[in-house]
Amino acid sequence: MVVDDDPDTVSILARHLQREGFVAIEAISGTECLRIVHEHRIDVILLDLMMPEMDGFQVCRALKQDPETAEIPVIMITARDDLDARAEGMRLGVSDFLAKPVFRRQLANRIRAQLETIATTRTTEAALSNLEHSVSDDKK
């Protein structure tokens, strides 16, 4: 999902993603993002920091507080690339940061890294679950 208050930026990022083989869902506000994440399966969120009404930090906080969306990786995309913004984002659970302008290959690589992390986590959780069942069955 691409979330930015500038429709042109959303369109450009969505086209970048599509050229790299991803499906992009677009949102032009934090409120719209929070609605859409409950309507579609979202793997990664590209989230602009500086938006009116609800900034990226507020959106990220809402996502991470909701058990249904807490595990979705958030990549913060911002023109405000300073240490304070990064520190606040990391505190809120942002997975990665990209400074504008965003380059297509860099964006695709960061998304793939997040997807690989998710896949590894799921594989590990499944293996642990199988191990727990095996140990439980052995005790019977």
Side-chain angles (χ1 to χ4, degrees), residues 1 26-27 29-40 63:
M1 173 184 282
E26 303 175 12
S29 72
T31 304
E32 187 176 16
C33 168
L34 295 175
R35 178 182 53 78
I36 290 172
V37 295
H38 292 287
E39 297 172 355
H40 299 276
L63 289 165

Side-chain angles (χ1 to χ4, degrees), residues 120-139:
T120 300
T121 300
R122 288 180 181 156
T123 300
T124 302
E125 288 172 350
L128 286 172
S129 178
N130 287 339
L131 183 61
E132 287 173 356
H133 289 310
S134 294
V135 169
S136 176
D137 289 345
D138 287 346
K139 289 181 180 179

